[in-house]
Amino acid sequence: GNSVTQMEGPVTLSEEAFLTINCTYTATGYPSLFWYVQYPGEGLQLLLKATKADDKGSNKGFEATYRKETTSFHLEKGSVQVSDSAVYFCALISNRDDKIIFGKGTRLHILP
Amino acid sequence: DAGVTQSPTHLIKTRGQQVTLRCSPKSGHDTVSWYQQALGQGPQFIFQYYEEEERQRGNFPDRFSGHQFPNYSSELNVNALLLGDSALYLCASRTGLTAQETQYFGPGTRLLVL
């Protein structure tokens, strides 16, 4: 079945450091890929998405590229801020059904 | 424009009881999905409603049931609560049946079963 695997946290970085959170997926067909972010005490917010191979999603300085050959969708940011501290979820929707499949989440701590 | 709203925000129940959680979708949205997020885990799909019918269901027992009303709001009912039902329950909404449309999540209802 469809699944998402992302790097385990917590990830702790200093402010202005470079961020990478790895995500790989297994899916039949041609899924759409997403990164969601969950700030403390809040619901999930869509951070970025990509709907086909080689698409790059970007938002708020975060980027991720849909790599079909490596079945990956790694999240990157060049310079993190304390306000980026949150839990990040990689997710997919298959084109064969309509449920979002989430990874387990990666908790990110940014130190000032 | 109000986003997805859920009520209550927190709830404490005891084993064997029944609970009803409520969700109002974002304005203009007609499709509602429910997810269960256990502590430290990613959300798991429970079911989806469109046009007042359950359209898809995840791997959850029949104790989990739902309803969608003509105004597109939705309820999640859980019967015979177990300790393992303790989780954050998230509602998500979007327009139509096209899976590629962005889903918007509410803040969730945190359920604790004692």
Side-chain angles (χ1 to χ4, degrees):
Chain A
N2 298 338
S3 66
V4 174
T5 302
Q6 59 183 105
M7 65 188 289
E8 292 190 18
V11 173
T12 302
L13 296 172
S14 297
E15 204 166 22
E16 299 183 3
F18 184 84
L19 168 70
T20 299
I21 300 178
N22 291 336
C23 171
T24 57
Y25 68 90
T26 301
T28 54
Y30 303 95
S32 293
L33 303 176
F34 306 84
W35 278 100
Y36 281 86
V37 59
Q38 189 171 38
Y39 297 102
E42 297 185 17
L44 290 169
Q45 299 177 24
L46 178 65
L47 181 59
L48 53 84
K49 69 177 183 181
T51 58
K52 60 183 187 295
D54 300 326
D55 269 2
K56 177 185 284 189
S58 62
N59 185 27
K60 299 180 181 180
F62 291 88
E63 293 183 341
T65 301
Y66 189 142
R67 301 289 188 196
K68 193 172 188 298
E69 64 276 13
T70 55
T71 62
S72 66
F73 193 56
H74 304 320
L75 182 68
E76 297 182 337
K77 186 175 185 182
S79 177
V80 293
Q81 306 300 313
V82 172
S83 58
D84 294 327
S85 298
V87 181
Y88 292 80
F89 293 92
C90 185
L92 66 82
I93 288 183
S94 166
N95 64 343
R96 298 188 180 186
D97 61 39
D98 195 20
K99 56 184 179 182
I100 305 176
I101 305 296
F102 287 90
K104 291 186 176 182
T106 302
R107 184 173 297 276
L108 175 65
H109 293 291
I110 306 300
L111 303 176
Chain B
D1 176 23
V4 179
T5 59
Q6 293 185 242
S7 63
T9 55
H10 295 82
L11 205 50
I12 299 175
K13 292 286 188 179
T14 56
R15 281 178 297 174
Q17 285 189 313
Q18 179 265 344
V19 68
T20 298
L21 310 181
R22 296 176 176 81
C23 171
S24 291
K26 184 176 169 63
S27 178
H29 288 186
D30 54 10
T31 302
V32 174
S33 299
W34 287 91
Y35 290 79
Q36 180 196 65
Q37 185 179 9
L39 196 62
Q41 301 295 315
Q44 300 285 320
F45 176 79
I46 303 174
F47 42 53
Q48 180 189 76
Y49 278 84
Y50 174 71
E51 292 187 339
E52 302 180 49
E53 289 188 9
E54 182 182 295
R55 297 290 179 160
Q56 287 193 75
R57 189 178 184 89
N59 294 325
F60 280 81
D62 292 344
R63 298 187 297 109
F64 290 76
S65 63
H67 188 76
Q68 186 179 35
F69 299 94
N71 67 353
Y72 309 122
S73 66
S74 176
E75 287 182 350
L76 164 66
N77 301 295
V78 186
N79 294 323
L81 284 167
L82 304 174
L83 296 180
D85 295 330
S86 296
L88 179 68
Y89 288 84
L90 296 166
C91 171
S93 73
R94 63 167 173 77
T95 57
L97 277 176
T98 304
Q100 309 312 321
E101 289 292 326
T102 297
Q103 299 200 35
Y104 293 82
F105 283 82
T109 293
R110 189 164 296 281
L111 173 64
L112 177 61
V113 182
L114 301 177

